[in-house]
Amino acid sequence: MIGDPLPSEKLEGQLLPKHLALPIFASDALSSVAYAPQELLMILLLGGLSFLTFAPWVAAAVVVLLVTVVLSYRQLVKAYPSGGGDYEVAHKNLGEKAGLIVASALLVDYVLTVAVSVASGVDNVISALPFLAPWRVELAVLCVVLIAAVNLRGVRESSKAFALPTYIFIGSVFLMIVTALVRTVLGDAPVAESAGFQVHASSLTQAAMVLLLLRAFSSGCSALTGVEAVANGVPAFRTPKIRNARVTLGLMGGIAIVLFAGLTATALISGVHYAESPCDLQGWAQCATSPQRSLIAQIAAATFGNNTFFFFLIQAATAIVLLLAANTAFNGFPLLGSVLARDSYAPKALNTRGDRLVYSNGMILLALAATALLLVYQANLTQLIQLYIIGVFVSFTLGQSGMVKHWITLLREGGQTARERSSIVRSLCINAFGACLTAIVLIVVTITKFTHGAYLVFIFMPILWFLMLGVNRYYRDVEKEIEVDPITTFGSVGDHAIVLVGKMQKPALKALDYAIAARHDSIEAVHVSIEEEATELLQKQWVEQNIHVPLTIIESPYREFGVPLVKYLKHRREEHGSEVTTVYLPQYIVGHWWEGLLHNHRARRLAKMLMLCHGVTVALVPWLLDSSSLIYGRRSRPLPGQDRRGEPVRAIARRPLVPASKPHARVHIHSTPLAVGQPENDAPAPPAPHDSPGPAPAASPSGSEPAAKVPARAKR
């Protein structure tokens, strides 16, 4: 579903030209014009129809703000093209704390971008197909899954998939606006289906009127969301990156301004009345049973006619581009996460590229967070949009403030030509104006939306801020702990191997052969005795297999494996000092998921316990069951002719080899292994196998005990 893995050298081929970068990074800003005019008029309508006369002035203020922000970000792209955007600017110029505020604000805003865009897209789908209304939440979640899957295939493939719908949306909405305006000029102005509905407005004080206008302005400012995505995505552009990013940013701003202003004008001309609650529209009998059509749907029906080809084209293009607006976040969130991970403020996994050369971990995390938000709010656009744009204006304000300090620092350093100094002063003025304007808007948005749900953003942002600061402190402490210093020295004396044996089976013998082949200084097999009968059977089979490796039995009266083994290893370390002990654990490798439920995974549990023991390393020896061919494409087979000829399998004398570190040492095979606490120089030492002409058995099958039992010293 995601596609074949791509090699690292294909990364340059995944970079985007301008015509593909525009739908990728600008889809959020372009699509927000589909619901920003709707939210602006909806808030004004709370004060009555007379308040719609303020709509052109509120829209003009939004346009001025949009122009200012686009110009400001063109300066940011030029100064900081590495992809950190507002976070990098604030971090370098205003300090660590300010940078993390911006990062937390952007992360929250990206999650909300996905949720709001998908909810708005589903709204437009339901406007065209009302029978889908009961499945609103399911449709929203399905859209998030599909968008995430397309993005996981790679940036270039997602840009190709999303380019055509974005351009169709731009062209169709532009055609609708031109058609409506031409009809108006010719004296046949379109009339919306809600134009005849009245609205009962409650009496407002002068202060309430001002707050209502400010709230309408803050809702219209949702058209600015996504502008910062281009600054965060500069590394994804083809060279020359800075020039291509600035051109794309300018195109995005110009198109967004034209569409926003055009939709607002045509909505006022056609008399669209969109209420927060459908039944607030007096005269609409079906308000309780029929969903309220979106603003863009009403304009399309009034301009081209209801249920015509162009009506459905507008609705389809709007719904798709609103859904694809989430794609901006699926590019911005992973890139920002990778920058944070690089700076040790986020888990390192966010800085890892997946098979398709994208930061897939960040995409999956974003999809999960947005899905949770859609489920909690039941994909309700009106409720979700109240949480929106707070984070983006926090990043706008701090980012532009950081740019102001950046330009002031450059001017103080000096050394520029007159032309360069003039350019810096011009950029400083643009960013200073942008910082002041966005700070004012941030205050307005916070005041007007705080009680309508925006307070949740001010809860999530501090939580993320503290988490990122804590992650950074953790990485800093770990780095300090593991760095090389002149005090800590390493030097172990001795190399001992322990093969853990449960039953006389092939996996245990394979682990034993691996340990022998590694040529340790000494080697022993260890069996933790849970059942007396099984232990006696293993001792008997040990002799029958002619194994020249001592077998140590550790009793476990409480039927535990890990604790007695750890006790034994610690006791051995007390006797032998800084000796390196390697414990070999056989482990099954299976191919079916359900096979994992049928095995006890003892090797993994023991490995976790043994890794906490000083001086102990763990070697997992895999035994591939036949089902593992599903994963590795291989299946165990007998030796050639072994099954057909029926020859008995000969017993193999598994002898310890000469230690690699001591080529001239003589290996002694103990017929009775050492018990815990028994000094090594008091143990009997039979002749080495090098001195005997034939294979010497590990123990005499007739009389002597094949192994000594080690009492467990663990207390329950």
Side-chain angles (χ1 to χ4, degrees), residues 185-270:
V185 172
L186 297 177
D188 182 26
V191 180
E193 61 190 38
S194 61
F197 299 151
Q198 299 297 316
V199 177
H200 176 70
S202 56
S203 59
L204 297 173
T205 63
Q206 187 173 359
M209 290 175 58
V210 173
L211 286 175
L212 189 64
L213 292 175
L214 292 177
R215 186 181 169 195
F217 171 70
S218 65
S219 295
C221 287
S222 58
L224 276 75
T225 56
V227 175
E228 79 287 347
V230 176
N232 292 335
V234 176
F237 284 83
R238 281 185 180 174
T239 52
K241 296 180 182 290
I242 296 176
R243 180 179 178 277
N244 288 338
R246 297 185 76 189
V247 170
T248 303
L249 190 57
L251 288 173
M252 179 201 67
I255 295 172
I257 290 170
V258 170
L259 296 185
F260 175 79
L263 284 174
T264 303
T266 51
L268 293 173
I269 291 171
S270 60

Side-chain angles (χ1 to χ4, degrees), residues 494-525:
D495 178 19
H496 183 65
I498 290 178
V499 181
L500 202 62
V501 179
K503 297 180 181 179
M504 183 57 67
Q505 294 174 327
K506 292 179 182 178
L509 296 180
K510 180 182 178 182
L512 188 62
D513 279 343
Y514 274 35
I516 292 173
R519 302 177 72 177
H520 299 273
D521 292 346
S522 57
I523 183 173
E524 67 174 320

Side-chain angles (χ1 to χ4, degrees), residues 49 87 98 120 154 190 209 252 278 288 514 575 605 639 687:
L49 295 179
Y87 158 73
S120 181
M209 290 175 58
M252 179 201 67
Y514 274 35
E575 287 187 345
R605 294 198 302 273
L639 296 174

Side-chain angles (χ1 to χ4, degrees), residues 442-465:
L442 174 61
I443 296 172
V444 171
V445 170
T446 302
I447 293 173
T448 55
K449 292 195 170 190
F450 189 84
T451 57
H452 294 82
Y455 66 90
L456 292 173
V457 176
F458 292 97
I459 295 176
F460 292 136
M461 281 175 51
I463 292 174
L464 279 175
W465 189 89

Side-chain angles (χ1 to χ4, degrees), residues 399-449:
Q400 299 308 310
S401 301
M403 287 300 299
V404 169
K405 185 176 180 182
H406 169 76
W407 299 125
I408 292 175
T409 302
L410 284 182
L411 289 175
R412 287 177 177 173
E413 290 177 354
Q416 302 93 3
T417 63
R419 185 176 180 180
E420 291 173 342
R421 193 172 183 83
S422 175
S423 175
I424 292 175
V425 171
R426 183 171 60 253
S427 299
L428 173 61
C429 294
I430 293 174
N431 288 129
F433 182 69
C436 294
L437 199 56
T438 53
I440 294 172
V441 175
L442 174 61
I443 296 172
V444 171
V445 170
T446 302
I447 293 173
T448 55
K449 292 195 170 190

Side-chain angles (χ1 to χ4, degrees), residues 245-325:
R246 297 185 76 189
V247 170
T248 303
L249 190 57
L251 288 173
M252 179 201 67
I255 295 172
I257 290 170
V258 170
L259 296 185
F260 175 79
L263 284 174
T264 303
T266 51
L268 293 173
I269 291 171
S270 60
V272 174
H273 296 159
Y274 190 90
E276 189 171 6
S277 175
C279 289
D280 289 341
L281 298 174
Q282 298 177 5
W284 187 19
Q286 296 82 22
C287 66
T289 56
S290 299
Q292 186 178 193
R293 276 185 170 183
S294 64
L295 177 141
I296 202 168
Q298 294 189 43
I299 296 175
T303 303
F304 297 118
N306 197 25
N307 296 329
T308 61
F309 169 77
F310 282 106
F311 169 78
F312 284 111
L313 176 64
I314 292 286
Q315 286 305 101
T318 303
I320 293 175
V321 83
L322 283 169
L323 294 174
L324 299 187

Side-chain angles (χ1 to χ4, degrees), residues 526-530 554-571 606 609-610 676 710-715:
V526 171
H527 172 73
V528 179
S529 178
I530 303 296
I554 303 177
E555 291 183 348
S556 179
Y558 295 107
R559 300 162 303 285
E560 295 177 310
F561 286 90
V563 174
L565 181 60
V566 170
K567 293 277 187 180
Y568 176 68
L569 291 171
K570 288 182 177 179
H571 187 78
L606 286 174
M609 295 184 66
L610 294 175
V676 174
V710 178
R713 287 173 167 78
K715 293 185 178 180

